[in-house]
Each structure stands twice: as C-alpha cells, then as structure tokens.
C-alpha cells in the first residue's frame, strides 16, 4: 500500500464519503466548496491526480471527477474499521427488540435479518447456527391420538426437532411423561457419542426413545448448515449500480440459491474467529458475481458448540460506517443469545 500524506488521506476519505452519499464522480471544485477545504482547486486536482496514479481513485471520463477504486474502498474500510460505532440509542433499541421477541431461534434469525437490512439499507443474510457438537437439552413426549406420540427434542444451542412417532401400542401420557423425565435427568448435556455408552433402565419405552433421540441427534450433527434468512432486497434495487448494470444484479441471484449462499458464508467465515468481521470488496478476486459489490460478514455463536454467520451485501458504494458496526453489534448480540440458550439461562 502506498504511503499517503495526511492531506491525501483527508481528501481520499472525503471523496469516498461524498461518493457513497451521491453516487456522482467528485471533482475538485465540489470538494473545495462543499467541505470548505483551505486548499486551492489546483492543489486539490494535483492531489487527486496523485491518488489516481497510486490506484485509489479513477476517472470514469476525461472531463469527469474521480470515483473510488477497490483499493480506495479498502483503504477507507481499514481506516474506519475499528473506530465506527453505533450510537448508544441505536444499540439500546436493537437490544430491546431482541429481548422483547419470543425466545425462539426462528424469531431471532428473522429479527436479525430485518434489523441488518433496515440499518444498512442493504441486503441482509443470516445463517442460523449450525450445531458443531450436538448436546442434549431436553425431550418432551406428548400423546396425540392412538399410538401416535409427538417427540420434541431440544438441543443446547436452540436447535429443535419435532417428529411424530408411531408406537407398537397406545401409551398413557403419564407413562410418556415419566420416560421423558428420566431421560432428561440422565441425558442432560450429553453428546450422542457419550449417550451411546449409557445404560438405561430395562423399560422398553425408555430404550426405544433413547434410540430415537440418538438417531435424531446424529442427523442434526451431520446436517451441513442452518436455515438461511434474508431481507432487504428492495433496498438495493433502486441503487444506480443495480438498476443500470447487469453485474450487480447477478450478485442478487445468489439469494435465490440457498446452497450457493450457504457455501459463500461457509467459505468466508470457516477460518475466522467468532466475532471477527470481514469485508469483501469486489469479490476479492474469488467471487466473480460479487465484482461490483461489497459484503460485510461476521461469524457468531459459541465456538465448538453452535455457530452461524451473518452479513450485508450492497454496492461497493455501501455505507460502511453504518454497516460495519451494525453487523458487529448484531453478531455479538446473537452470540450472547446462543450462549445463554446453551447455558440454559
């Protein structure tokens, strides 16, 4: 990265902020007049020419002003990555929305996607936490009709499985509740591997239910990913980049392909720590469909237990100063909620 003088840093940051707001090439006259810079237009033009030569700006047309390049945006993001924060009033509002919602994973994911889209005015994506090491929390057995029983299995981390069982003969609710109580006491906090070595009382119903629980837990562990939640598609359709160019619209097709979207989230966060935030600008040479877009993404959850990913996609000209702290804050909030759920609080 080229070394910039303080003056060049200031001008570059102003140009990028202005371009993010206006989507119009920025000229020296606008900088001098709009920001009351104590520099002549000629000096500003010379500095803009130097920034262009260094690769931070480009000139779409000979007579036009300058717009940021990918390198320009990367410099901008690196400068404000750790300093950008959400106002305390916004943090309080978001926290209040979460803690007023029902304590259900689906509710949290839907709300997170909505908040990210609203705050960033981009397209949000939230992957529900994938249980990395499935641990039993509790089971409920509910008699429905005849020989049919509803089994509700809840894991530490919030994942829930429901299935209808057809038993060999009708069983009274009292006996079902007794089996559930015994298994809950025996299995609490256990992994499927540890459970397979346990011995249960010689009650055929207890043994059968334990076997079904083991099968369900192994299925959950083998499942590749959690459900994907998105919001805010209409936020970007009106942006110039998405209305005039086909490239950015191709990026939006990813949201029509859950498997592709999940693969993107997994690849970009698999080696990152929980809470770590990444900004992919122009696809970083790896994702061709994201050439004219940016993706701010973070991993959340409890390492080794249950983790997911969330992020915001928008034009390269996205409002990074608002998007980055929003993604960071919501990721931390979801990590706390997942941790509370795992610990039973």
């Amino acid at each position: 990265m080229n070394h910039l003088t303080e003056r060049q840093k200031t001008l570059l940051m102003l140009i990028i902020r202005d371009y993010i707001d206006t989507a119009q090439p920025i000229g020296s006259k606008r900088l001098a007049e709009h920001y009351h810079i104590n520099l002549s237009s000629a000096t500003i033009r010379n500095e803009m020419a130097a920034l262009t030569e260094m690769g931070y700006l480009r000139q779409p047309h000979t007579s036009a002003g300058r717009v940021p390049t990918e390198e320009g945006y990367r410099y901008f993001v690196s400068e404000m990555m750790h300093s950008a924060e959400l106002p305390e009033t916004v943090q309080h509002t978001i926290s209040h929305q979460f803690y007023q919602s029902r304590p259900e994973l689906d509710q949290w994911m839907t709300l997170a996607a909505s908040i990210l889209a609203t705050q960033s005015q981009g397209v949000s994506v939230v992957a529900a936490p994938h249980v990395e090491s499935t641990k039993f929390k509790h089971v409920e057995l509910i008699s429905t009709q005849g020989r049919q029983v509803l089994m509700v299995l809840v894991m530490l981390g919030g994942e829930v499985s429901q299935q209808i069982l057809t038993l060999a003969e009708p069983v009274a609710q009292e006996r079902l509740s007794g089996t559930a109580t015994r298994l809950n006491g025996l299995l609490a906090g256990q992994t499927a591997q540890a459970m397979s070595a346990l011995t249960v009382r010689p009650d055929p119903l207890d043994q059968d239910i334990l076997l079904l629980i083991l099968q369900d837990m192994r299925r959950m562990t083998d499942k590749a990913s959690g459900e994907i939640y998105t919001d805010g598609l209409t936020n970007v359709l009106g942006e110039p980049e998405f209305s005039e160019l086909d490239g950015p619209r191709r990026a939006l097709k990813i949201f029509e392909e859950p498997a592709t979207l999940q693969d993107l989230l997994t690849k970009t966060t698999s080696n990152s720590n929980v809470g770590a935030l990444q900004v992919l600008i122009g696809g970083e040479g790896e994702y061709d469909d994201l050439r004219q877009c940016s993706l701010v993404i973070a991993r959340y959850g409890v390492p080794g237990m249950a983790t997911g990913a969330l992020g915001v996609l928008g034009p390269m000209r996205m409002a990074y100063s608002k998007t980055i702290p929003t993604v960071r804050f919501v990721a931390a909030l979801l990590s706390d909620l997942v941790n509370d759920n795992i610990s039973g609080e």
Side-chain angles (χ1 to χ4, degrees):
M1 181 175 287
N2 294 291
H3 177 72
L4 301 183
T5 66
E6 289 303 314
R7 187 164 69 186
Q8 288 170 340
K9 288 181 184 178
T10 299
L11 289 174
L12 179 59
M13 299 297 274
L14 288 177
I15 289 168
I16 294 176
R17 289 183 187 278
D18 205 27
Y19 184 68
I20 286 173
D21 290 339
T22 66
Q24 297 296 321
I26 311 302
S28 57
K29 183 179 179 182
R30 174 173 173 81
L31 285 176
E33 295 178 353
H34 192 70
Y35 294 101
H36 307 292
I37 300 173
N38 190 25
L39 296 171
S40 68
S41 291
T43 299
I44 295 175
R45 279 197 299 273
N46 289 337
E47 294 289 26
M48 291 174 71
L51 289 167
T52 301
E53 190 170 335
M54 286 186 277
Y56 295 111
L57 300 175
R58 64 183 179 85
Q59 194 171 22
H61 308 289
T62 305
S63 59
R66 279 9 184 234
V67 301
T69 63
E70 291 179 24
E71 283 305 312
Y73 283 120
R74 289 190 184 99
Y75 183 86
F76 179 80
V77 168
S78 68
E79 286 292 298
M80 50 76 63
M81 173 77 88
H82 301 293
S83 60
E85 292 186 5
L86 282 182
E88 288 189 11
T89 53
V90 177
Q91 294 184 31
H92 177 76
T93 299
I94 293 175
S95 297
H96 182 73
Q97 287 177 283
F98 271 101
Y99 288 105
Q100 287 296 307
S101 68
R102 294 197 300 273
E104 298 172 4
L105 189 65
D106 181 68
Q107 289 289 313
W108 292 341
M109 300 298 101
T110 301
L111 181 57
S114 175
I115 288 172
L116 287 171
T118 300
Q119 289 293 320
S120 68
Q121 287 301 295
V123 187
S124 64
V125 54
V126 181
H130 165 54
V131 180
E132 298 178 5
S133 177
T134 307
K135 289 190 177 182
F136 178 93
K137 185 174 183 181
H138 70 260
V139 67
E140 294 179 34
L141 299 171
I142 303 167
S143 177
T144 55
Q145 58 179 357
R147 295 183 295 128
Q148 292 190 330
V149 172
L150 172 64
M151 183 175 80
V152 181
L153 181 60
V154 182
M155 299 294 103
L156 289 173
E159 191 164 2
V160 178
S161 169
Q162 299 185 40
Q163 61 173 305
I164 296 292
L165 312 178
T166 302
L167 305 181
E169 59 185 24
V171 176
Q173 181 61 55
E174 183 179 2
R175 186 182 174 197
L176 291 172
S177 299
T179 291
T181 298
R182 286 189 296 274
L183 291 176
N184 286 334
L186 180 67
L187 306 178
Q190 300 283 348
T191 64
Q193 183 177 4
M195 287 164 54
S196 62
L198 294 175
T199 302
V200 299
R201 56 180 282 169
D203 183 316
L205 182 60
D206 287 27
Q207 294 174 348
D208 289 345
I209 297 299
L210 174 60
L211 181 60
L212 291 168
I213 290 173
L214 276 169
Q215 291 174 349
D216 221 13
M217 287 181 64
R218 286 169 178 150
R219 179 189 58 79
M220 289 185 192
T221 302
D222 292 340
K223 193 167 66 172
S225 62
E227 188 176 348
I228 298 289
Y229 299 75
T230 63
D231 201 345
L233 189 61
T234 56
N235 289 340
V236 299
L237 290 177
E239 295 288 351
E241 295 88 342
F242 288 85
S243 60
E244 298 172 3
L245 300 173
D246 182 57
R249 282 185 171 271
R250 285 203 305 273
L252 298 182
K253 291 183 179 179
I254 294 176
F255 290 85
E256 300 172 4
E257 304 168 355
T260 303
L261 190 55
Q262 180 62 55
D263 184 59
L264 171 64
L265 294 175
T266 300
K267 284 182 178 178
T268 52
T269 62
S270 59
N271 294 321
S272 64
N273 296 325
V274 165
L277 189 140
Q278 298 179 68
V279 182
L280 302 181
I281 297 173
E284 302 293 343
E286 292 186 40
Y287 304 97
D288 192 56
D289 286 341
L290 301 182
R291 275 201 319 270
Q292 293 162 315
C293 300
S294 285
L295 177 66
V296 179
I297 189 169
R299 192 173 172 218
Y300 72 89
V302 179
M305 291 291 295
T307 61
L310 56 82
V312 171
L313 176 81
M316 211 179 296
R317 186 185 53 82
M318 70 158 56
Y320 296 97
S321 59
K322 181 179 285 188
T323 303
I324 286 173
T326 301
V327 169
R328 183 185 290 122
F329 183 76
V330 173
L333 201 54
L334 284 182
S335 290
D336 288 343
L337 291 170
V338 171
N339 183 62
D340 289 349
N341 197 279
I342 288 175
S343 63
E345 297 180 13

